[in-house]
Amino acid sequence: MMSTTRGRKENRGANNRATVEAYDRYALDYARSTAEGGARQGHRALAQLLEVIEPDGNILEIGSGAGWDADWRLEKAGFRVRRTDAAMAFVRFQESRGVHAERLDVVQDDLTGPYDAVVALHVLQHIDRSALPAVLRKVSRALREGGAFLFSISEGRGDVVEQGASGQYYVAMWQQAELSEVLVPLGFRLQWSISDQDNEGSWLTMLVVKKGHDRKETVRPLAI
């Protein structure tokens, strides 16, 4: 059970560091708890992604966690996945299973590329609200033209700091219309989206495709 503090604005960098540290402490328990069904949470979203990208492409996975999505859906479908996470405990866990993973801080580090797709499921909510637009710009630069970006983020308004057994987790909640204000100028166009809920709250999942900055085409509105 997590307690929640709303409206905390001070030292967001410290909040993000505390979140990564909490995941470092929780990684093994998280991996065990999701081993049987964790990947199925994003099954529908990943299926949508696989419909819009060509087989045998390169995918950057941000926040790979235990690596189940890469194991069961992405690599099984023939894609080459660069598995990354900000928490070293998740990197070590994957390496202990014989797969390569890297530590990547999407706020501080270059994403390299180009990739055919970038996947970030249940992770971007932990990035400072003020820092997320810059991260989305990095994603756009890292994708090839026509590349796809699949992500899920906490849906709602405001910021919270959740207190769990392993530490504090900073969470920023977003509305789809807010995200569209950042994504559309970066050349992204909506392919698919869904709002749903689980035991951790409301989630917005979006699949957008990079169409370019200067294409004169009708932009499909990102409906709330």
Side-chain angles (χ1 to χ4, degrees), residues 117-138:
V118 174
V119 175
L121 294 178
H122 301 89
V123 62
L124 298 182
Q125 71 276 4
H126 296 309
I127 295 174
D128 292 351
R129 182 176 299 280
S130 61
L132 186 61
V135 170
L136 297 180
R137 284 193 292 274
K138 285 186 180 183

Side-chain angles (χ1 to χ4, degrees), residues 13-88:
N15 281 334
N16 287 161
R17 288 192 296 275
T19 299
V20 173
E21 291 168 2
Y23 273 112
D24 268 322
R25 290 187 285 270
Y26 181 54
L28 291 180
D29 288 337
Y30 178 89
R32 295 186 189 106
S33 69
T34 57
E36 294 300 323
R40 287 197 290 272
Q41 285 186 328
H43 176 86
R44 178 164 41 171
L46 291 168
Q48 291 288 333
L49 173 68
L50 297 181
E51 288 184 5
V52 301
I53 56 177
E54 295 295 326
D56 198 35
N58 294 304
I59 296 176
L60 169 64
E61 185 180 30
I62 298 169
S64 294
W68 308 136
D69 288 343
D71 286 355
W72 298 338
R73 292 294 296 165
L74 300 176
E75 290 182 349
K76 188 175 181 180
F79 294 94
R80 295 178 295 276
V81 182
R82 182 188 177 198
R83 303 166 182 237
T84 72
D85 205 285
M88 274 303 300

Side-chain angles (χ1 to χ4, degrees), residues 2-206:
M2 289 190 179
S3 62
T4 300
T5 302
R6 292 187 177 274
R8 287 182 54 172
K9 302 291 186 183
E10 72 278 8
N11 201 348
R12 289 295 171 80
N15 281 334
N16 287 161
R17 288 192 296 275
T19 299
V20 173
E21 291 168 2
Y23 273 112
D24 268 322
R25 290 187 285 270
Y26 181 54
L28 291 180
D29 288 337
Y30 178 89
R32 295 186 189 106
S33 69
T34 57
E36 294 300 323
R40 287 197 290 272
Q41 285 186 328
H43 176 86
R44 178 164 41 171
L46 291 168
Q48 291 288 333
L49 173 68
L50 297 181
E51 288 184 5
V52 301
I53 56 177
E54 295 295 326
D56 198 35
N58 294 304
I59 296 176
L60 169 64
E61 185 180 30
I62 298 169
S64 294
W68 308 136
D69 288 343
D71 286 355
W72 298 338
R73 292 294 296 165
L74 300 176
E75 290 182 349
K76 188 175 181 180
F79 294 94
R80 295 178 295 276
V81 182
R82 182 188 177 198
R83 303 166 182 237
T84 72
D85 205 285
M88 274 303 300
F90 280 129
V91 173
R92 288 192 291 268
F93 175 80
Q94 292 204 57
E95 290 179 339
S96 74
R97 299 194 297 112
V99 294
H100 179 69
E102 306 169 42
R103 185 182 183 279
L104 180 72
D105 181 334
V106 296
V107 176
Q108 301 293 333
D109 298 336
D110 183 15
L111 305 186
T112 69
Y115 303 101
D116 297 285
V118 174
V119 175
L121 294 178
H122 301 89
V123 62
L124 298 182
Q125 71 276 4
H126 296 309
I127 295 174
D128 292 351
R129 182 176 299 280
S130 61
L132 186 61
V135 170
L136 297 180
R137 284 193 292 274
K138 285 186 180 183
V139 171
S140 179
R141 290 196 297 267
L143 280 168
R144 66 167 179 80
E145 185 76 4
F149 177 35
L150 174 68
F151 68 95
S152 57
I153 197 164
S154 292
E155 187 172 27
R157 299 184 186 278
D159 306 62
V160 299
V161 176
E162 299 174 339
Q163 181 64 52
S166 61
Q168 293 185 334
Y169 297 82
Y170 167 79
V171 176
M173 291 169 287
W174 289 81
Q175 298 284 317
Q176 189 163 323
E178 293 179 285
L179 292 164
S180 74
E181 294 179 0
V182 181
L183 292 167
V184 170
L186 294 175
F188 286 114
R189 301 296 181 264
L190 180 65
Q191 184 74 24
W192 175 84
S193 69
I194 190 171
S195 295
D196 57 10
Q197 290 190 327
D198 62 14
N199 59 0
E200 294 184 356
S202 298
W203 293 95
L204 171 64
T205 303
M206 297 177 66

